[in-house]
Amino acid sequence: DVKVTQSSRYLVKRTGEKVFLECVQDMDHENMFWYRQDPGLGLRLIYFSYDVKMKEKGDIPEGYSVSREKKERFSLILESASTNQTSMYLCASSFVDSYEQYFGPGTRLTVT
Amino acid sequence: GQNIDQPTEMTATEGAIVQINCTYQTSGFNGLFWYQQHAGEAPTFLSYNVLDGLEEKGRFSSFLSRSKGYSYLLLKELQMKDSASYLCAVRDKDTGRRALTFGSGTRLQVQP
């Protein structure tokens, strides 16, 4: 079974804090993705990575950065958390050019 | 760019058939995907269409018409456990992106 795990299910942070969200997959997938999901807006792509140390901006990268030092791990960083970054964050992974993405359970982040 | 539309909510009766529609506009089409997401859980892959026609998988079928920019997900013999959100997503060929663009999802409520 493919497994994508995320470091926390629920997280509460204060405005201005630096926040790290970690994602690990165990299927040797080349591609990894970070989405956020908000009511009425669906899943929106923040960043994705197709190889170690490689990254590309998605549709809403502002206020976020990412790191992929190892193939199995993809981190999302909120440099200075703001209340409008309160959301559900979902990580996903896939083989290169595969049509199926596997999602982690999500991290519900609240910024107060 | 891409634009994906699907109804926000639908209600159906246990044992019945329901059709969830999705229309899309994309500059370069390279596949349409349907995902199921139960409340509080990660999305899971249901189906993939890249050519016109119907793909059947058990109680679920997905149809694609590329000329019309249209897809539907057909759920037969509805069960209570089918109550979930159904997400339509497309992959864009022109940008070479491996990521998906998701619609905002259709929340399906199955009633006894």
Side-chain angles (χ1 to χ4, degrees):
Chain A
D1 260 5
V2 174
K3 202 154 196 168
V4 181
T5 57
Q6 295 183 227
S7 48
S8 306
R9 290 301 303 269
Y10 299 94
L11 208 52
V12 180
K13 295 291 182 180
R14 294 193 182 275
T15 302
E17 278 193 85
K18 190 168 186 175
V19 182
F20 293 86
L21 302 182
E22 297 267 297
C23 175
V24 178
Q25 51 93 4
D26 66 357
M27 278 301 290
D28 204 35
H29 286 165
E30 293 87 3
N31 298 334
M32 296 189 75
F33 311 86
W34 274 107
Y35 295 90
R36 64 177 282 179
Q37 186 173 31
D38 301 287
L41 297 176
L43 275 81
R44 292 179 292 166
L45 181 67
I46 304 171
Y47 267 97
F48 71 99
S49 169
Y50 51 89
D51 201 350
V52 174
K53 296 193 186 295
M54 305 303 287
K55 61 186 179 185
E56 283 197 28
K57 292 180 180 179
D59 298 315
I60 50 165
E62 297 78 19
Y64 303 95
S65 61
V66 290
S67 172
R68 192 158 180 209
E69 297 297 318
K70 293 185 178 180
K71 191 174 186 180
E72 67 271 18
R73 189 178 298 269
F74 192 35
S75 302
L76 180 70
I77 304 152
L78 286 66
E79 296 291 342
S80 177
S82 63
T83 54
N84 63 12
Q85 292 178 310
T86 291
S87 186
M88 171 68 84
Y89 289 87
L90 287 160
C91 174
S93 70
S94 73
F95 286 116
V96 64
D97 294 329
S98 168
Y99 53 81
E100 185 170 355
Q101 292 187 14
Y102 297 85
F103 284 84
T107 296
R108 186 167 292 284
L109 172 67
T110 302
V111 182
T112 60
Chain B
Q2 294 164 327
N3 190 34
I4 302 171
D5 287 311
Q6 51 182 131
T8 305
E9 289 188 13
M10 297 183 72
T11 302
T13 305
E14 193 176 14
I17 299 172
V18 71
Q19 178 174 312
I20 302 173
N21 296 325
C22 172
T23 59
Y24 64 88
Q25 295 169 325
T26 181
S27 52
F29 178 80
N30 193 26
L32 187 137
F33 305 76
W34 285 96
Y35 280 77
Q36 180 190 58
Q37 186 178 24
H38 285 99
E41 296 183 13
T44 55
F45 171 80
L46 285 178
S47 69
Y48 167 67
N49 295 71
V50 68
L51 299 176
D52 291 349
L54 190 68
E55 294 280 341
E56 297 187 76
K57 196 188 285 187
R59 293 189 299 113
F60 293 9
S61 304
S62 57
F63 172 83
L64 175 67
S65 169
R66 289 172 295 169
S67 62
K68 294 181 180 176
Y70 168 68
S71 172
Y72 66 73
L73 181 68
L74 194 71
L75 290 74
K76 303 176 189 173
E77 301 168 17
L78 279 173
Q79 302 175 8
M80 299 299 290
K81 67 178 183 180
D82 297 329
S83 292
S85 288
Y86 292 86
L87 312 178
C88 174
V90 297
R91 186 163 61 188
D92 190 317
K93 177 171 59 178
D94 288 350
T95 62
R97 280 173 45 153
R98 298 166 178 82
L100 303 179
T101 299
F102 284 84
S104 54
T106 299
R107 188 161 63 239
L108 174 66
Q109 182 70 40
V110 179
Q111 296 179 337

